[in-house]
Amino acid sequence: MTDSDLLDLAARLAQRAAAAILTVRDAGFAVEHKDDMSPVTAADRLAEAIITEGLREATPDIPVVAEEEVSGGALLAATRRYWLVDPLDGTREFAAGRPEFTVNIGLIEEGRPKLGAVAIPATGELFTGIVGEGAWKEDAGGRRPIRARRVPEEGLVVMASRHYKDDPRLPRFLEGRRVQRIVNMGSAVKFCRLAEGTGDLYPRFGRTMEWDTAAPEAVLLAAGGRCTDFGGAPLAYGKPGWENPPFLCQGAESPGAEGQGAE
């Protein structure tokens, strides 16, 4: 399969999973908690089953690493190429009745994101991208290319985590920068807003896992944006435990942000 074929597969499965999540939401659901006290619902499990079964049937030669399987004790290791799946990123937002949750399906090659699909079920948006080839947004208006933007003269639109909105590191990090406004929201939607050019900067200080970021980082990179750790190094994938360091996402050519730490 070509990269375009793989992206089409990820996009189709993300949309199927998104529809299933909305069905669960409309029917009502219970919220459980995993060993690390993070929430999980029937929607997470149903979406993951749809995605993993679809990927393994269509691409049996590409391993699949999915959040709920790993949380359930599956011992999976990184290979040269593998799928990373977060079937419902933003379960806290989903459980709270907010629209900021996504379906993330990313392909990793040689430790870096190659392509990804991110569906936003509540809005019907689908973001896709192949690094080096381009990124696209699909919604009720059709499918069109998207690009990250340069910082406007009015200042940065900063995307910040809703869960960590009171983190004192954010105002310290933004000190001295021209900030137009700060938008707090959950899930990978923040990456997508940078990729489509409606946001400029997303500093992440709290804990994330590789399945949270693989697909949306691929979309952002494909749209001309950047994502690095606070030392300026690209995020690596396939780490033991699958946990990311704090990171910084930027739009196109955002000056003055590189190499500035989180402290």
Side-chain angles (χ1 to χ4, degrees):
M1 298 177 75
T2 66
D3 287 343
S4 293
D5 292 333
L6 293 170
L7 185 64
D8 288 345
L9 171 65
R12 290 196 305 272
L13 291 172
Q15 288 176 311
R16 283 181 54 197
I21 288 168
L22 294 179
T23 298
V24 172
R25 184 190 66 177
D26 294 345
F29 57 91
V31 179
E32 305 168 40
H33 288 86
K34 296 182 278 192
D35 290 344
D36 64 358
M37 296 310 295
S38 62
V40 64
T41 70
D44 298 76
R45 297 188 177 104
L46 177 59
E48 182 162 301
I50 289 169
I51 296 166
T52 55
E53 289 171 12
L55 292 176
R56 286 169 178 151
E57 180 179 357
T59 57
D61 57 322
I62 304 178
V64 179
V65 177
E67 178 181 10
E68 302 312 328
E69 289 185 347
V70 173
S71 296
L75 299 176
L76 303 168
T79 57
R80 188 192 72 82
R81 185 166 72 154
Y82 58 97
W83 295 104
L84 267 174
V85 174
D86 189 341
L88 204 173
D89 182 38
T91 303
R92 287 187 183 91
E93 315 305 324
F94 174 73
R98 290 188 283 263
E100 302 146 9
F101 53 92
T102 64
V103 178
N104 302 343
I105 305 175
L107 182 69
I108 301 298
E109 285 191 358
E110 305 292 353
R112 292 289 294 141
K114 176 62 178 177
L115 58 86
V118 179
I120 308 178
T123 63
E125 295 168 280
L126 175 69
F127 292 83
T128 56
I130 302 174
V131 177
E133 296 189 24
W136 301 269
K137 177 180 178 178
E138 183 176 338
D139 57 16
R143 185 175 187 261
R144 57 199 177 276
I146 56 173
R147 289 288 297 175
R149 71 180 184 185
R150 297 180 181 181
V151 178
E153 291 185 3
E154 307 87 75
L156 295 159
V157 173
V158 178
M159 314 304 294
S161 170
R162 183 188 298 279
H163 188 58
Y164 292 96
K165 67 179 180 179
D166 296 323
D167 192 322
R169 290 171 290 187
L170 180 60
R172 289 204 301 267
F173 180 75
L174 295 176
E175 187 174 349
R177 303 173 189 268
R178 179 180 294 179
V179 176
Q180 186 180 157
R181 66 181 182 275
I182 297 173
V183 181
N184 293 103
M185 61 173 59
S187 81
V189 174
K190 297 183 286 294
F191 285 83
C192 297
R193 300 307 175 216
L194 265 66
E196 69 175 348
T198 58
D200 303 295
L201 191 67
Y202 167 33
R204 178 69 185 213
F205 306 102
R207 183 174 187 255
T208 62
M209 307 300 287
E210 293 183 12
W211 42 75
D212 296 320
T213 59
E217 183 184 357
V219 172
L220 178 58
L221 296 177
R226 291 170 288 165
C227 186
T228 66
D229 66 21
F230 280 94
L235 293 185
Y237 286 80
K239 302 179 294 296
W242 310 103
E243 187 169 349
N244 289 319
F247 60 81
L248 179 65
C249 294
Q250 302 171 74
E253 299 182 15
S254 302
E258 297 87 349
Q260 298 195 27
E263 298 305 322

